[in-house]
Amino acid sequence: MTTAVVAGLLAGYGIAIPVGAVGAYLVAVTARTGWRTGVGAALGVATADGVYAVIAVAGGSALVPLLAPVTTPLRWASAVVLVVLAVRAAYVAVTTYRTGGLASRDDGTDGTALGPARAYLTFLGITILNPMTVIYFAALVLATGPSAPATLPDRTAFVLAALLASASWQLLLALGGTLLGRTLTGARGRLTTVLASSTLIVVLAVRLVARS
């Protein structure tokens, strides 16, 4: 079981650490809304990784050829969603700055902002659109050959370890967003941060589909 745990941790960090468009958006959302929303978003990403880890150990090799034809369309869908969210965030930031309301952080108390539950579902949906995650986990499981987790306890340990690794890294990104938000509390600083992060998210989203 120890081997399965180590494999799961390595797999979880391997898929989580490369910061792409979703990671950049996670940091931006946390900086704009607060740590509670950031935690919800981080757990949404980790849950998606956990779901795909379960699929991989339960028979990911059989799903790889089935997912191959839809990988590109799903990448495009994920990129479009991220671009829309980035553009919306930039528009809201500029509009709010012009009305003088960007100086205070949005903590979700007005009932219309992005709260923890909504952030969880949003990031779960964005991350689940990327089928490359299950292909990644399946490839790792297959590459280990005879030492791959085969029993139910080993598979469970692998999935839980991968989930823990992903969650810890996403929470670290959320912490970075929290610190960034606390540092740039002024209206101009927050506007600059939102516009910069939105631009970065769009660039990363374009790279996501450019590789397809």
Side-chain angles (χ1 to χ4, degrees):
M1 185 176 293
T2 301
T3 301
V5 170
V6 173
L9 288 173
L10 293 176
Y13 282 121
I15 194 66
I17 287 179
V19 178
V22 175
Y25 186 51
L26 170 60
V27 174
V29 165
T30 308
R32 190 171 67 248
T33 59
W35 69 271
R36 290 184 179 85
T37 300
V39 169
L43 294 180
V45 176
T47 299
D49 288 344
V51 169
Y52 276 138
V54 170
I55 294 174
V57 298
S61 58
L63 292 175
V64 170
L66 299 178
L67 287 172
V70 297
T71 296
T72 298
L74 285 177
R75 275 185 174 178
W76 274 96
S78 178
V80 168
V81 170
L82 286 165
V83 169
V84 169
L85 290 171
V87 171
R88 180 181 180 276
Y91 172 78
V92 170
V94 172
T95 303
T96 308
Y97 177 76
R98 288 177 176 174
T99 59
L102 199 64
S104 61
R105 297 181 69 192
D106 178 6
D107 60 2
T109 56
D110 62 355
T112 59
L114 187 67
R118 186 177 167 190
Y120 174 86
L121 294 175
T122 298
F123 278 82
L124 174 63
I126 294 172
T127 311
I128 213 77
L129 282 173
N130 184 11
M132 290 304 297
T133 306
V134 70
I135 295 176
Y136 163 83
F137 279 123
L140 284 181
V141 170
L142 292 174
T144 55
S147 60
T151 65
L152 181 59
D154 282 348
R155 289 180 176 181
T156 302
F158 176 89
V159 170
L160 291 178
L163 178 62
L164 177 62
S166 177
S168 64
W169 181 257
Q170 305 307 331
L171 289 171
L172 183 62
L173 291 181
L175 175 61
T178 301
L179 296 176
L180 180 63
R182 288 178 178 176
T183 302
L184 301 175
T185 54
R188 189 179 299 274
R190 292 195 59 216
L191 175 63
T192 302
T193 302
V194 173
L195 294 180
S197 65
S198 295
T199 302
L200 176 61
I201 292 165
V202 171
V203 171
L204 291 172
V206 170
R207 287 186 60 190
L208 177 67
V209 297
R211 295 198 303 266
S212 59

